[in-house]
Amino acid sequence: MSAVAPEDAPGRRASDRGRYGKLSRERVLVAALGVVDAEGLSALSMRRLGTELGVEAMSLYRYLPGKGALLDGLVEALYQQVEEYLAREAGDVPEGWGAPEAADAPATGAPPASRAAPETQAAPQAQPGAPEARPGAGAPEARPGSEGPGWRAGLQRIAHAVYAVGLRHPEVVPLLATRMLSVPLARRPAAVLRVDENVLRLLHEGGLDTDTATAAHRAFTAWLLGYLLVDLRAMVDAPEEPDPAFRLGLHRLPAHDFPRLRESAPSLAGRGGRAELSAGVDALLDRVIRGAAGAR
């Protein structure tokens, strides 16, 4: 009688070899990002992820101990893409910026996911009637705010990198805010901390003292995340409707209660885009500089 192979023995632990080969933390996160991009954050669970990878859900806990770790991993994956976006700007990567990690470069045989090469990655589908979304994390184009002092240009590059990656993965963007409410600073992924570190470094390079740089960092982060969330907010009520008013569901808003909102809704449905993002960052930095000069 032939011996039973260890992997076939009764009581074996759940296999970590799925349809895409042996699992790794990076491969699990790539698959998770693909599920969220395609089906939304509410669809993500260990069971759904196990089905996607062709393994039992229990096998995933070796790489991510729970749902919280999985969500933090998605945040980490997005910030790694931010680093890669910046790295593609040859010669423009701030000194000391951490090298992108392997999580965003799945090994051969990794599951198909949304993080395709920039030239093949489809941009997020624009809302009907809204301006066409700009490309995601592809080769960056010339944009407002890219000129000026090195530290200010560096902050603009970071802002545009986060914005572009957010447009590629809109279903994950809410986690950039909500996970920061749950995870203490020292426990956040290294890729997240590197962004914070380099924002602060650039502000210090601009001549700001520690207190002023801290306030500027807080304002910069609030503007960037807030702008991204507003640009990605749901506006279209009935995508199949050809008439803009019905598509936006304006008939649901009583005219006597919300006259200005009804009037502005078609404009609100569009995205502010890179130009408004840059203008906001510049206005914020101008105010910080004036305040610092007045305090001297």
Side-chain angles (χ1 to χ4, degrees):
M1 190 174 191
S2 59
V4 177
E7 63 270 22
D8 297 324
R12 66 177 178 86
R13 65 179 187 174
S15 173
D16 62 356
R17 182 171 294 277
R19 67 168 58 98
Y20 304 111
K22 184 174 175 58
L23 294 184
S24 66
R25 183 175 182 275
E26 293 77 13
R27 183 161 288 167
V28 171
L29 289 177
V30 167
L33 191 56
V35 169
V36 174
D37 284 344
E39 303 173 24
L41 192 59
S42 62
L44 184 64
S45 66
M46 290 299 198
R47 178 174 295 180
R48 174 65 187 88
L49 193 51
T51 299
E52 176 68 20
L53 289 163
V55 299
E56 296 178 27
M58 288 301 297
S59 65
L60 301 177
Y61 288 92
R62 299 174 208 162
Y63 307 97
L64 297 158
K67 184 69 175 287
L70 179 57
L71 298 179
D72 291 340
L74 290 175
V75 173
E76 177 184 8
L78 258 65
Y79 274 94
Q80 286 173 346
Q81 288 193 28
V82 168
E83 291 182 306
E84 292 179 356
Y85 182 106
L86 289 161
R88 279 193 287 271
E89 296 185 322
D92 286 340
V93 182
E95 265 186 43
W97 193 278
E101 299 175 20
D104 203 40
T108 302
S114 62
R115 289 191 286 178
E119 60 272 15
T120 61
Q121 174 65 42
Q125 186 174 357
Q127 297 178 0
E132 182 179 351
R134 292 182 178 268
E141 59 189 56
R143 56 181 175 267
S146 58
E147 301 298 329
W151 69 277
R152 289 184 68 137
L155 290 170
Q156 288 281 4
R157 284 194 292 270
I158 292 173
H160 282 274
V162 173
Y163 181 75
V165 172
L167 291 185
R168 291 186 73 191
H169 306 290
E171 295 290 338
V172 185
V173 166
L175 293 179
L176 302 185
T178 59
R179 293 310 294 170
M180 298 305 102
L181 298 175
S182 306
V183 182
L185 175 69
R187 294 182 180 271
R188 294 173 191 169
V192 177
L193 297 177
R194 284 194 294 267
V195 171
D196 286 329
E197 175 68 21
N198 281 280
V199 168
L200 287 167
R201 181 182 57 77
L202 288 166
L203 291 167
H204 279 282
E205 286 180 4
L208 304 183
D209 59 33
T210 298
D211 289 343
T212 306
T214 300
H217 171 273
R218 184 181 295 111
F220 175 83
T221 302
W223 166 251
L224 178 54
L225 292 183
Y227 185 87
L228 186 54
L229 288 168
V230 168
D231 244 19
L232 292 174
R233 62 187 167 179
M235 290 293 294
V236 175
D237 181 58
E240 71 285 354
E241 284 285 353
D243 183 274
F246 284 102
R247 187 163 58 248
L248 293 174
L250 298 189
H251 58 288
R252 303 180 188 279
L253 303 178
H256 62 281
D257 290 334
F258 308 106
R260 296 303 180 196
L261 195 55
R262 285 172 58 98
E263 178 185 37
S264 304
S267 297
L268 291 173
R271 287 179 180 158
R274 296 173 184 270
E276 287 188 16
L277 173 65
S278 288
V281 171
D282 277 336
L284 184 153
L285 295 177
D286 287 342
R287 181 175 179 180
V288 167
I289 292 170
R290 287 196 302 269
R296 288 176 182 145

